[in-house]
């Protein structure tokens, strides 16, 4: 068991190190804030992929949607390296792992919304999208008192309706710039 735990820690540490290295490489290139306030109805709205800054910063995020076995190990690694991350949470994950949500919040990490049920958002109506966002928002707020304002759509799927509905719920839609799963 200890050998397996050390192996998991090594994998998580390697993934974090690799993700940081890739993200740092991207700092050298010009970055821009994607603003999605459309001037015309026909303009495609975009989520925020990166933010322009003069500081050498990397944003690391995790989707809390599938399990919680490695949460403590991950939080320990982040703490040891003085790193804060954003955890995008699904509503059903919040229901299943409320203590994990509290640990993440009390460790000072940012909490983000990843929908209630992890649906394909592009196939939903504006009202259905808002319900997905608002249900998870309320669960996290009731559990932690934390007011989330970042939304990452499941599967990275978005369209104008998704971004507009999230905005109407008071959320900024966030997308990843580098996906560690595609780097392996």
């Amino acid at each position: 068991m200890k050998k397996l735990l050390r192996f998991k820690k090594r994998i998580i540490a390697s993934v974090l190190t690799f993700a940081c290295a890739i993200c740092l490489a991207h700092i050298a290139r010009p970055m821009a804030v994607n603003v999605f306030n459309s001037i015309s109805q026909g303009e495609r709205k975009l989520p925020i992929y990166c933010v322009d800054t003069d500081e050498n910063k990397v944003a690391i995020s995790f989707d809390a949607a599938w399990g919680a076995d490695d949460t403590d190990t991950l939080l320990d690694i982040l703490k040891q390296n003085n790193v804060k991350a954003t955890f995008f949470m699904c509503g059903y994950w919040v229901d299943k792992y409320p203590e994990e949500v509290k640990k993440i919040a009390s460790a000072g990490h940012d909490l983000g919304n990843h929908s209630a049920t992890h649906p394909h958002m592009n196939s939903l109506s504006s009202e259905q999208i808002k319900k997905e966002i608002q249900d998870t928002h309320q669960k996290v707020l009731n559990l932690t008192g934390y007011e989330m304002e970042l939304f990452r759509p499941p599967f990275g799927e978005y369209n104008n309706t998704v971004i507009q509905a999230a905005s109407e719920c008071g959320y900024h839609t966030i997308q990843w710039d580098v996906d560690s799963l595609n780097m392996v």
Side-chain angles (χ1 to χ4, degrees):
M1 183 65 178
K2 283 186 178 185
K3 193 174 189 179
L4 180 61
L5 185 55
R6 275 187 268 143
F7 179 71
K8 283 185 176 183
K9 283 183 182 180
R10 197 168 41 239
I11 288 175
I12 292 170
S14 296
V15 168
L16 278 174
T17 303
F18 186 70
C20 286
I22 295 299
C23 291
L24 286 172
H26 286 273
I27 289 173
R29 70 184 178 147
M31 299 171 99
V33 176
N34 289 315
V35 179
F36 49 82
N37 292 331
S38 293
I39 295 173
S40 66
Q41 288 283 62
E43 186 176 335
R44 182 166 185 218
K45 297 179 182 196
L46 295 173
I48 298 169
Y49 279 89
C50 56
V51 177
D52 190 20
T53 179
D54 292 331
E55 300 178 63
N56 289 331
K57 285 192 172 187
V58 174
I60 297 177
S61 61
F62 302 93
D63 291 348
W66 308 117
D69 293 344
D70 296 323
T71 304
D72 288 335
T73 303
L74 181 57
L75 290 174
D76 287 342
I77 291 168
L78 293 170
K79 183 177 181 178
Q80 289 168 9
N81 291 284
N82 196 29
V83 172
K84 297 297 180 192
T86 303
F87 288 79
F88 288 96
M89 301 180 182
C90 283
Y92 62 80
W93 195 89
V94 173
D95 290 338
K96 191 170 182 177
Y97 304 107
E99 294 308 311
E100 305 303 307
V101 176
K102 290 177 189 176
K103 285 180 195 177
I104 292 166
S106 67
H109 297 287
D110 200 14
L111 307 182
N113 195 322
H114 197 45
S115 79
T117 64
H118 207 271
H120 287 277
M121 299 300 257
N122 289 355
S123 65
L124 302 181
S125 70
S126 179
E127 291 309 311
Q128 290 171 313
I129 294 165
K130 289 177 186 178
K131 181 167 178 22
E132 285 283 328
I133 293 169
Q134 291 166 340
D135 286 356
T136 301
H137 183 93
Q138 198 58 52
K139 288 178 184 187
V140 171
L141 181 62
N142 291 344
L143 187 63
T144 66
Y146 191 92
E147 289 277 0
M148 296 184 296
E149 60 183 31
L150 302 177
F151 172 66
R152 173 179 287 156
F155 309 104
E157 289 182 359
Y158 64 88
N159 58 22
N160 286 3
T161 304
V162 172
I163 293 172
Q164 185 64 39
S167 179
E168 289 173 12
C169 290
Y171 276 81
H172 302 286
T173 303
I174 306 297
Q175 193 67 294
W176 57 84
D177 189 19
V178 178
D179 186 351
S180 62
L181 292 176
N182 292 329
M183 306 303 286
V184 180

